[in-house]
């Protein structure tokens, strides 16, 4: 298979403290995240915590009807056809859980970019989406670079990969309604827990008409930080996230995120922020720490400098100009 996420994580909350976590792995190459309410006691998390709910996570399915191959760097084997079997196994596992997950997060790169080369994009997507129909709980889809290798943004907006219909509507708070200019929304799988899905390719040269003003704007941003003739190469860059297969958040989307976080902080909600395509790079957990400011820790893979990204600022956790960003090498 390609780069499936292969760990399970248990989260425990103890009053105002940060969550405790425990990770496990299994052969289905999926993740089940259990959210626990920590109870006072001397024992370990599993003995002192009350189970609240769980949700499933799967990433980088990258299905294609092809023989095995390798990633862009040539150092990791990819099992294109076999990935569908792992998806089926994960779905079977979630469906038979004694306490089923509230939802599943599909973090992007659902089919591989090679499908476009063989004109098999729609056929491969239909096959994977038909497999997801076996799932008994809602699935939320995010978009990664491989979605844009296969389809335009307009196509994705009108496809089954757009799960915006599952969004939560906050009454009397129109500022928390996302714009149609980007693919993002929020929902509540369990009381006092809000999940926010972000569009990591809001600013990108992928999936947009090359004659459009937005494409020219994004290309200017990219070339302003990456002078390489091969724009997918981070070689020699002081900011290696500025490569063609990455993208970034527009200020409009960040302003909307700020409004949703403000609402959640005001209402003492815990927030999980997810932005495809890779769980270990992009999903972010937001939790109150004492009476101080809410903290957001970013792994900087999207376009942008540390100064431009959302970060903790003030007790409401608004999007500010300072950052706790950390950089991780981009992967294609």
């Amino acid at each position: 298979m390609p780069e499936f996420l292969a760990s399970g994580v248990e989260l425990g909350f103890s009053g105002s403290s940060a969550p405790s976590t425990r990770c496990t792995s299994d052969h289905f190459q999926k993740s089940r995240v259990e959210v626990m309410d920590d109870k006072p006691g001397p024992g370990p998390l599993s003995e002192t915590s009350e189970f609240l709910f769980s949700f499933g996570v799967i990433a980088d399915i990258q299905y294609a009807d092809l023989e095995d191959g390798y990633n862009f760097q040539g150092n990791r084997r990819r099992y294109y056809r076999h990935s569908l079997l792992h998806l089926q196994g994960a779905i079977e596992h979630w469906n038979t859980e004694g306490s089923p997950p509230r939802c599943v997060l599909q973090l992007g790169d659902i089919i591989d970019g090679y499908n476009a080369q063989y004109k098999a994009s729609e056929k491969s997507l239909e096959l994977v989406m038909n497999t997801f129909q076996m799932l008994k709980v809602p699935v939320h889809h995010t978009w990664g670079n491989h979605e844009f290798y296969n389809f335009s943004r307009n196509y994705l907006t009108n496809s089954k990969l757009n799960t915006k219909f599952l969004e939560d509507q906050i009454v009397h708070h129109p500022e928390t309604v996302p714009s149609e200019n980007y693919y993002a929304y929020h929902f509540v799988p369990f009381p006092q827990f809000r999940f926010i899905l972000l569009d990591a390719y809001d600013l990108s040269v992928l999936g947009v008409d090359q004659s459009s003003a937005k494409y020219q704007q994004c290309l200017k941003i990219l070339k302003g930080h990456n002078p390489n003739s091969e724009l997918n190469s981070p070689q020699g860059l002081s900011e290696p996230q500025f490569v063609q297969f990455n993208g970034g958040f527009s200020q409009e989307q960040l302003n909307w995120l700020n409004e949703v976080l403000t609402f959640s902080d005001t209402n003492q909600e815990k927030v999980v922020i997810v932005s495809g395509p890779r769980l270990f790079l992009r999903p972010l957990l937001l939790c109150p720490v004492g009476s101080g400011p809410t903290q957001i820790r970013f792994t900087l893979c999207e376009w942008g400098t540390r100064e431009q990204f959302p970060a903790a600022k003030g007790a409401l956790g608004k999007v500010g100009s300072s950052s706790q960003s950390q950089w991780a090498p981009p992967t294609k």
Side-chain angles (χ1 to χ4, degrees):
M1 74 182 177
E3 297 179 5
F4 263 122
L5 172 69
S7 65
V9 184
E10 294 180 352
L11 305 179
F13 293 90
S14 176
S16 60
S17 67
S20 302
T21 63
R22 179 168 60 225
C23 299
T24 59
S25 300
D26 63 40
H27 67 282
F28 286 130
Q29 303 298 324
K30 54 83 197 176
S31 174
R32 170 186 166 95
V33 183
E34 296 184 348
V35 182
M36 318 290 286
D37 187 13
D38 201 16
K39 300 297 182 182
L45 178 66
S46 60
E47 297 178 4
T48 63
S49 302
E50 175 188 355
F51 174 82
L52 296 179
F53 72 100
S54 68
F55 60 94
V57 179
I58 195 163
D60 290 283
I61 298 171
Q62 291 184 225
Y63 170 78
D65 186 15
L66 295 173
E67 298 298 326
D68 298 349
Y70 289 88
N71 63 347
F72 180 69
Q73 291 81 8
N75 57 8
R76 182 175 297 176
R77 196 169 182 85
R78 288 182 171 174
Y79 305 92
Y80 296 109
R81 290 195 184 102
H82 197 66
S83 65
L84 203 61
L85 296 178
H86 282 271
L87 173 60
Q88 292 167 353
I91 290 174
E92 180 180 354
H93 185 81
W94 287 318
N95 284 344
T96 56
E97 286 277 359
S99 179
R102 290 297 181 102
C103 64
V104 168
L105 305 177
Q106 188 281 115
L107 299 180
D109 291 358
I110 194 169
I111 63 174
D112 195 85
Y114 274 125
N115 285 287
Q117 181 178 332
Y118 294 99
K119 301 187 185 304
S121 300
E122 292 187 350
K123 181 179 179 181
S124 292
L125 178 61
E126 182 180 9
L127 183 59
V128 178
M129 295 304 287
N130 286 343
T131 303
F132 266 110
Q133 287 184 354
M134 299 163 50
L135 187 62
K136 296 179 181 179
V137 300
V139 57
H140 298 264
H141 296 287
T142 64
W143 301 345
N145 55 315
H146 283 262
E147 276 75 16
F148 291 107
Y149 293 158
N150 286 282
F151 306 109
S152 69
R153 177 170 286 272
N154 286 339
Y155 183 98
L156 292 172
T157 300
N158 294 288
S159 74
K160 293 180 180 179
L161 286 177
N162 183 343
T163 47
K164 208 170 181 178
F165 65 92
L166 295 172
E167 69 181 336
D168 177 54
Q169 299 283 349
I170 303 176
V171 180
H172 305 310
H173 286 274
E175 71 280 3
T176 64
V177 177
S179 165
E180 295 298 324
N181 294 331
Y182 48 84
Y183 174 60
Y185 64 93
H186 54 88
F187 66 98
V188 178
F190 190 84
Q192 295 303 113
F193 285 83
R194 187 169 300 278
F195 284 39
I196 305 175
L197 272 69
L198 295 182
D199 185 347
Y201 288 84
D202 184 6
L203 295 180
S204 173
V205 296
L206 302 179
V208 293
D209 189 335
Q210 294 187 11
S211 64
S212 68
K214 185 168 186 179
Y215 177 87
Q216 296 302 323
Q217 173 199 5
C218 294
L219 185 62
K220 182 178 180 180
I221 293 172
L222 179 58
K223 288 188 173 182
H225 293 83
N226 186 342
N228 295 329
S229 57
E230 171 52 71
L231 292 175
N232 275 323
S233 172
Q235 184 175 0
L237 302 184
S238 60
E239 299 172 304
Q241 69 271 21
F242 283 97
V243 285
Q244 184 168 284
F245 59 84
N246 275 345
F249 305 109
S250 67
Q251 191 59 52
E252 181 185 23
Q253 186 179 179
L254 294 179
N255 290 343
W256 167 77
L257 172 60
N258 181 76
E259 296 293 349
V260 178
L261 292 178
T262 297
F263 174 87
S264 292
D265 281 334
T266 300
N267 291 274
Q268 298 183 334
E269 295 178 332
K270 294 179 175 67
V271 177
V272 174
I273 304 179
V274 182
S275 181
R278 295 164 185 85
L279 178 67
F280 55 86
L281 289 179
R282 295 194 176 99
L284 311 167
L285 179 65
L286 179 68
C287 60
V289 181
S291 59
T294 299
Q295 294 186 350
I296 309 174
R297 293 193 178 274
F298 276 86
T299 304
L300 189 54
C301 187
E302 292 83 0
W303 293 358
T305 64
R306 294 168 185 258
E307 290 73 21
Q308 291 171 327
F309 269 71
K313 189 175 184 181
L316 293 181
K318 292 187 177 181
V319 174
S321 58
S322 61
S323 177
Q324 300 288 335
S325 301
Q326 301 176 26
W327 177 81
T331 57
K332 184 177 178 182

